[in-house]
Amino acid sequence: MKTKCAVLFLLLSVLLGGCRRELTDYTLSTVQTTETSEVSTSNAAEQKTHYEYATYPVKRPADHVIGNCYYYKNSRVICYYDVDIRRKVVLCSQPNCTHGSEECVAYLGGNGDTQYLIVGDTAYALVVKMEGEKTVQFISRNVVTGETELLWDLSPKNPDTIMQNFEFSVDGNTAFLAYEQFDICLSELGEYSEQNKATYAFAMDLTNGEREQLMKCDIPYIEGLALQGDSLICQATTEDYLLIRCVGEYEELPLGREAYLKENPYGDYEAYLNGIPWPGSSYYSVNRRTGERFFICREGAAKIQDSTGPFRDKKMSFADGDTICIYDGRTGQVTRCFTRENIAMQMYKDGRIIYNVCMEDGSWEYYWYDLTTGQMQQFQKGESIMIFAVHEETADYFYGYSNGENRFISKQDWYNENYDAAF
C-alpha cells in the first residue's frame, strides 16, 4: 500500500496535454515588479523597477515558475503556459519564426536530457546530445536578442564515453553542474561492461568562468547491479551551502555474475543480488566557506522513495523517523516541524507540508500542515487515493494529476476540496 501511495506523488511523464497543439508567436513581454530601497540621503523610498522571467528551477515537465507563468521545454524550445489566461506561447520575440533552429532565440536543441534555467533575460542551458557525435555544452542565451555564449564544453573526447544523470542549477553568480560518466568496454568474449564510472560535480563562477571541482566519486561496476556514487543535489545547493547525498557502503561488495556462478554453479544470480541488503544513503549540508559538514538525515532501503520530499525555494522536506523536518539550503539549518506515526509520504508546497498517514486497517488519511501558523488540517476524508495529486505550483495554482490527466487547480479550490474546478 505504501508503494502505491508513494507513486501518486511522483512526477508523471505526460507533459501538459495541450502543449502538443500549435504554439502562438507573441511579442516578448517581461514580468515587471517593483523593489523599494531606502535612499541614504533622504527619507523617501526609491522605486526601482526590474524585470525577470523565472527564478526557480524544478524537474520537468515544468522547468520554471514565476507568478502564474509555467515554463517548460517543448520540441527543444523554451515555452510557457500563462495559467491565468490559459495561453501557451514560445519564448521568442521574432515575428514569423518557425522555432526549429538556432536562429530562434528560444531554441535549445540537444535531446531529452537538455535542461535550462531562466534568470532575468538570460537562459542558462545544459545542452546534451548523446547520440552520434556526443556533445555536452553549458551555454547562456539572451532570450531577447538571441546572443549565445558557450560557457563550458564538457563534450567527451572518447566516443565510447557515456555521460548521464545530468543536473544543474544557478544560484546568484554560481552555476552548479553534476553528472555521471563511464566508458563502454567490449571484452574478448563480446560482452560490454562499464569502466571508469564516476559521479562529478562542479561549481562555475559566472562572472569569470572559473570552475571548481566539488566532487569526483568512483563507482565500482558489478554486472546486473546498478551501483550509485555520492552526488550533489543541485536544486537545493546554494552559493553558501552544498547539499550532498552520500551512498552507504556495502560491508562486502557483491560478487560479479561469473564469480558467483563459479562458486554456485546452479545458483540464481538475480535472487542472490536481490537478497543483499541495500545500504542506506545519508544527506549532508556542507558549508562552502569553511568546509564543515553537517549531518541532515539518513535513508534506509525501505524509505528511499518516501523519506525526502521535492525541493522548493532551495528547501527540502524529509522524514527523520516519525518527525517531519525542513532543510533550508539558504541557512544550512534544519527545522523539526511535527511528529506523527506512520507517515508514508510528505512534500513541501506553498509553505505547507502535505502528507498522508497509514492507518491500522490499511487505509490512508491525508493532511496538510502550515509551517507559519502550525495549523494542521485533515482533507479528503474517506478517500483511498488523492483526488488531485499535487506535483508543482505557481503563485496561485497547483499543477498535478486528476481524473487520468495532468491539470491545474487554484490553490483556494484545492484547499476547499473543490476538485471539479480543475482544468
Side-chain angles (χ1 to χ4, degrees):
M1 287 293 292
K2 179 179 287 189
T3 301
K4 291 182 180 178
C5 187
V7 170
L8 294 173
F9 285 86
L10 295 179
L11 170 62
L12 296 163
S13 61
V14 181
L15 188 57
L16 295 171
C19 292
R20 292 189 295 270
R21 301 173 187 168
E22 182 178 354
L23 295 167
T24 306
D25 289 339
Y26 77 112
T27 302
L28 185 68
S29 61
T30 55
V31 179
Q32 178 175 320
T33 61
T34 57
E35 179 179 272
T36 302
S37 59
E38 295 295 331
V39 181
S40 58
T41 57
S42 169
N43 292 327
E46 178 190 18
Q47 293 292 326
K48 183 176 115 179
T49 300
H50 62 95
Y51 301 89
E52 58 187 355
Y53 293 106
T55 57
Y56 160 55
V58 299
K59 293 182 179 179
R60 286 186 297 271
D63 290 286
H64 315 286
V65 175
I66 182 170
N68 288 322
C69 290
Y70 203 67
Y71 290 78
Y72 60 97
K73 180 169 66 70
N74 186 45
S75 299
R76 303 186 182 186
V77 296
I78 305 173
C79 313
Y80 81 79
Y81 179 73
D82 189 322
V83 189
D84 284 328
I85 61 176
R86 306 187 190 185
R87 182 187 182 195
K88 296 174 285 291
V89 294
V90 176
L91 193 61
C92 173
S93 59
Q94 301 176 119
N96 304 315
C97 182
T98 62
H99 315 308
S101 68
E102 294 182 358
E103 295 180 357
C104 172
V105 297
Y107 182 83
L108 294 176
N111 61 18
D113 289 326
T114 295
Q115 303 176 37
Y116 76 98
L117 166 66
I118 302 177
V119 181
D121 287 341
T122 302
Y124 294 99
L126 191 63
V127 182
V128 180
K129 182 175 176 288
M130 277 287 112
E131 63 278 353
E133 183 179 351
K134 300 180 178 67
T135 57
V136 181
Q137 297 181 328
F138 185 49
I139 67 171
S140 66
R141 173 170 295 163
N142 187 301
V143 294
V144 178
T145 66
E147 182 180 359
T148 301
E149 180 181 0
L150 176 61
L151 302 176
W152 186 15
D153 191 341
L154 298 83
S155 304
K157 297 179 175 57
N158 183 348
D160 295 323
T161 296
I162 302 296
M163 300 172 71
Q164 62 184 19
N165 297 332
F166 296 95
E167 185 182 353
F168 95 105
S169 68
V170 175
D171 186 58
N173 292 318
T174 305
F176 298 96
L177 296 92
Y179 58 91
E180 187 176 273
Q181 178 175 303
F182 58 90
D183 298 324
I184 295 293
C185 298
L186 182 64
S187 70
E188 295 179 355
L189 299 177
E191 297 177 343
Y192 289 95
S193 64
E194 300 172 359
Q195 302 293 330
N196 306 317
K197 190 173 186 179
T199 56
Y200 296 85
F202 294 86
M204 171 182 280
D205 189 327
L206 295 173
T207 63
N208 55 29
E210 292 184 358
R211 298 189 294 269
E212 174 189 358
Q213 181 171 300
L214 302 173
M215 177 187 300
K216 178 181 182 295
C217 178
D218 295 325
I219 306 174
Y221 173 74
I222 302 293
E223 184 183 0
L225 191 63
L227 300 180
Q228 295 178 311
D230 296 351
S231 55
L232 179 73
I233 311 300
C234 291
Q235 288 182 304
T237 287
T238 65
E239 287 190 322
D240 296 320
Y241 292 94
L242 309 178
L243 180 61
I244 292 176
R245 178 177 181 263
C246 295
V247 177
E249 296 183 359
Y250 287 96
E251 294 183 5
E252 184 176 347
L253 276 177
L255 296 174
R257 181 184 298 274
E258 184 177 345
Y260 171 79
L261 293 177
K262 185 176 182 180
E263 293 185 7
N264 307 272
Y266 303 103
D268 186 331
Y269 184 64
E270 282 68 29
Y272 158 72
L273 290 180
N274 291 332
I276 297 173
W278 188 272
S281 300
S282 298
Y283 287 88
Y284 294 88
S285 175
V286 181
N287 188 314
R288 290 195 69 203
R289 304 182 193 284
T290 66
E292 189 174 2
R293 177 178 292 205
F294 304 92
F295 173 77
I296 297 175
C297 65
R298 185 179 185 278
E299 290 186 328
K303 294 182 71 64
I304 283 180
Q305 291 294 336
D306 55 22
S307 64
T308 57
F311 311 108
R312 177 69 174 166
D313 302 329
K314 299 293 184 180
K315 294 180 180 179
M316 175 184 77
S317 58
F318 67 93
D320 182 7
D322 292 324
T323 300
I324 299 300
C325 309
I326 292 287
Y327 166 73
D328 189 335
R330 294 288 176 201
T331 63
Q333 301 298 310
V334 170
T335 301
R336 301 178 70 85
C337 300
F338 63 91
T339 298
R340 178 76 183 269
E341 292 183 353
N342 299 322
I343 292 178
M345 172 60 73
Q346 42 68 39
M347 60 172 62
Y348 169 60
K349 299 293 179 192
D350 195 35
R352 308 181 186 205
I353 295 175
I354 302 169
Y355 67 98
N356 63 354
V357 176
C358 182
M359 309 304 292
E360 291 184 358
D361 61 0
S363 63
W364 302 100
E365 290 185 354
Y366 297 86
Y367 297 84
W368 54 257
Y369 171 86
D370 192 306
L371 293 170
T372 302
T373 65
Q375 178 186 2
M376 186 177 295
Q377 180 170 315
Q378 184 179 358
F379 66 98
Q380 286 196 185
K381 295 181 181 179
E383 297 292 341
S384 58
I385 62 173
M386 286 192 71
I387 298 174
F388 189 103
V390 174
H391 168 62
E392 261 310 322
E393 64 179 298
T394 68
D396 301 310
Y397 298 88
F398 284 131
Y399 172 68
Y401 191 71
S402 175
N403 289 336
E405 60 184 8
N406 296 297
R407 311 173 89 187
F408 285 93
I409 189 172
S410 74
K411 292 179 179 178
Q412 193 63 40
D413 282 329
W414 192 89
Y415 291 130
N416 290 332
E417 302 184 51
N418 183 22
Y419 304 117
D420 290 338
F423 57 92

